[in-house]
Amino acid sequence: MARIRDATAEDVPRIREVALASWQAAYAGFLTPPQCQQAIDRLYPSNGIAEAIEELRGYRLVLAEADGIVQGFAAAEPTWADEAELYALYVHPDRWDEGLGGALLERIRTGFEPAIERVACSVFVENYGGVGFLEYNGFERTGRTRTQVAGAIHQEVELECALDE
């Protein structure tokens, strides 16, 4: 059984490994392994993750750990007076469908000040598993946006979940 805990700077290398494995598994249909690596290097630089953990007020990075090994993580931060942004929720593909994603999401949802009323995020349109997971866990589609990854523009679904549900 995995335990959920707050991340430390020492966890950064494994966080990056989980992110890369997740990207390569979830996005294999539209991103190559080098493109995934490029995105991880840009979005999850080691020093940036460590600084966020240690210095950003309100930033939350939680881990799912089993047998002393990080198996997944989720990161979120208040971005408005009443809203938090879910930046990441990744579980190593070897551990998909074991409930780790739900446990991480629950820890994120319950860790904010009472003023935070909802959590928002965006997910690649092609990430059917990710979109379905979030909808199953109470998120609703609110729109679409576009983002650039590895030199190409990709569509994203914007989702939101009220925390009082």
Side-chain angles (χ1 to χ4, degrees), residues 88-159:
L89 196 160
Y90 299 115
V91 173
H92 193 282
D94 293 345
R95 302 299 301 266
W96 285 357
D97 298 322
E98 293 182 18
L100 297 179
L104 287 164
L105 185 57
E106 184 60 22
R107 176 65 72 88
I108 288 291
R109 282 178 163 164
T110 59
F112 290 111
E113 297 293 323
I116 301 298
E117 298 174 0
R118 64 188 174 280
V119 175
C121 64
S122 57
V123 179
F124 288 123
V125 169
E126 299 97 332
N127 184 355
Y128 306 112
V131 173
F133 167 82
L134 290 165
E135 289 178 330
Y136 178 80
N137 282 282
F139 282 75
E140 296 180 1
R141 296 177 191 221
T142 59
R144 290 189 119 167
T145 189
R146 298 177 338 169
T147 191
Q148 183 174 344
V149 175
I153 301 295
H154 296 276
Q155 294 288 320
E156 291 185 313
V157 176
E158 295 176 322
L159 300 118

